[in-house]
Structures are given as structure tokens and as C-alpha cells.
Amino acid sequence: MDVCCAAGAPVSVDYTPVGSFEEVGGVPAYITGSGSKGIIAVYDIFGFKYPQFQQVCDRLAAAGYVVAAPDIFRGQPWTLDKFPPKPEDNLMGWIQGYGWEAVVKKDVYALVEGLKARGVTRFASLGCCWGASMAIQALHDGETFSAAAMLHPSLFGQDKALCSAAKGPVACISTPGDPYESVQEVFSSTEWGPRCVYRRYDNMIHGFCGARGKFEEPDVVKAVGEVLTLLAEFFKANL
């Protein structure tokens, strides 16, 4: 989490989401877009408090997908008054309380079932920062999810273990200090290697597509636009 903490606090931006908050499959979620192809999107530790991730979801949805972001934290994300976290705040303990097997998987698959009832037939996952570690674990299921995208991932030193169990291609968008070469190393020796895409932005900070994204700054706008184009093409090829 050193890279995450060093990137600084989230920033407020002016954006009105075009999707809606609904309960799908018994899970509160942000839903945007339409169609038969779905992307389950997992936010960073700051949840929905900052709208940048919703804007990313909206723009991906405009490329022809249903994008559904479950509210894993149920309205109680990591708060700004504890950032940067002090040792006594126990950020890692808090994160471990939202593990894939214990918490997140149940929400993700309930959401998948709810979307199937609405006509969605194929799924991919996407995660931002902490959420990337959830998105790659969704890809451990080679039946439900066919691809995963990780935006400036936080994999907590488990890069190889998490990626080695994946059963599909990944898109990995990184900034300095994020997992990158380690992800490439794993996937280069798999059958999915030729379908993976990678991009590192050395001029961006960890979180630039999420809560730290200064979406009013031209260089950030350009980089986020490139990422969204890359992801739309990646999902088109693998969904």
C-alpha cells in the first residue's frame, strides 16, 4: 500500500453520474449502460464518495456494455480523516475484512445472477486499485468471467499468485510502483498471453483513473481517454 499512500488524498471533481443506484440480485450497486455484455466493476477503498470511478463506468457503458459496480462497503468506505493511515488505523486489517472469499465473491456472483435475469449473458471484471485484486480473483473462475482489467492495481505482494490462477486475458494499466512486469511475466507463458494488453503511464499517479484522478487537467483527461479506448477494445475482443 506504500504506492497508494504516497499518491496522496482523493480529489473532488464535478461530475453527475448518468447511471443509477439500484438493488440487483439483492446487492446495492451502481448500474449504467445496456446490452448483453456485462462488466462487474470494483471501486477503490474510497467507494462511491468520489465520482471519478462512476465516470469511468459511464464511459465504458457508452461503448456498449452494462457496467455494474457493487457497493461492497455498503456506504462505509475508508474515510479521508484516516488518510494517510496511521499504524493505529490498521488499514490492512480493514482491507482484510473485505476479502474475496469471505465477502466480495458473494456480492459479485449475486450481481451476476441479477444481471442474467436482465438479459446479460457474458461477463468480464474490472477493478481499480484495491478493486483490481478482486477483479483478478473473479477471473480465477474460467466459466463466468472471460477477461479482467486492472487499473493501477494494488495486489499486496501477491502479484504472481493472483495472476497465475487467472483463466483468461488481462488488461493491466499501471503507474510507477504498481504491478506491471510481474503481471506480464506470468501471462506471457499462458495461452492468454497474446490477448493481454499492458500500458504504463510514467507521468500519472496511482489512482489517476479513480478517486485521485484530476479529471479537469488536460494530461489526465488525455490519459484516461486513452485508457478507456484501450479497455473498450480489450473488452470487445474478449467478451
Side-chain angles (χ1 to χ4, degrees):
M1 293 296 289
D2 290 346
V3 173
C4 176
C5 294
V11 296
S12 297
V13 298
D14 184 18
Y15 179 71
T16 302
V18 301
S20 60
F21 285 97
E22 307 174 32
E23 188 168 291
V24 180
V27 177
Y30 178 74
I31 309 294
T32 181
S34 60
S36 62
K37 297 179 179 181
I39 299 170
I40 305 298
V42 185
Y43 48 35
D44 58 28
I45 64 170
F46 302 107
F48 290 125
K49 183 173 177 59
Y50 302 89
Q52 291 95 319
F53 191 62
Q54 288 156 275
Q55 184 171 349
V56 166
C57 292
D58 289 340
R59 291 171 68 178
L60 272 178
Y65 306 100
V66 176
V67 183
D71 188 12
I72 304 294
F73 305 140
R74 299 299 193 270
Q76 300 294 322
W78 191 258
T79 55
L80 196 55
D81 65 309
K82 292 183 178 180
F83 199 89
K86 302 179 180 66
E88 59 268 27
D89 293 328
N90 193 20
L91 174 58
M92 285 308 301
W94 183 83
I95 286 174
Q96 289 166 3
Y98 292 98
W100 171 254
E101 290 293 340
V103 176
V104 181
K105 183 177 181 178
K106 179 177 66 175
D107 276 1
V108 166
Y109 280 88
L111 191 53
V112 164
E113 291 304 313
L115 291 175
K116 284 181 178 178
R118 299 186 179 196
V120 180
T121 58
R122 294 180 62 80
F123 294 89
S125 59
L126 176 149
C128 182
C129 308
W130 164 81
S133 68
M134 301 296 113
I136 192 66
Q137 288 182 86
L139 194 56
H140 293 179
D141 170 5
E143 296 182 2
T144 304
F145 291 91
S146 60
M150 302 189 294
L151 303 179
H152 28 76
S154 293
L155 301 182
F156 309 101
Q158 300 181 59
D159 310 17
K160 292 187 178 180
L162 291 175
C163 292
S164 295
K167 296 180 176 66
V170 298
C172 181
I173 311 300
S174 297
T175 60
D178 295 332
Y180 189 69
E181 288 90 352
S182 58
V183 177
Q184 289 180 298
E185 181 182 347
V186 171
F187 281 95
S188 65
S189 61
T190 70
E191 62 182 284
W192 304 290
R195 292 157 55 194
C196 295
V197 296
Y198 309 95
R199 183 75 58 85
R200 179 160 59 197
Y201 285 87
D202 291 327
N203 63 329
M204 292 288 113
I205 63 168
H206 176 88
F208 78 96
C209 289
R212 293 183 181 87
K214 298 179 180 179
F215 283 12
E216 75 282 358
E217 294 188 357
D219 58 339
V220 177
V221 171
K222 179 176 183 293
V224 172
E226 291 174 355
V227 169
L228 289 169
T229 297
L230 183 152
L231 292 183
E233 293 173 350
F234 172 74
F235 287 129
K236 181 179 179 180
N238 292 290
L239 259 179

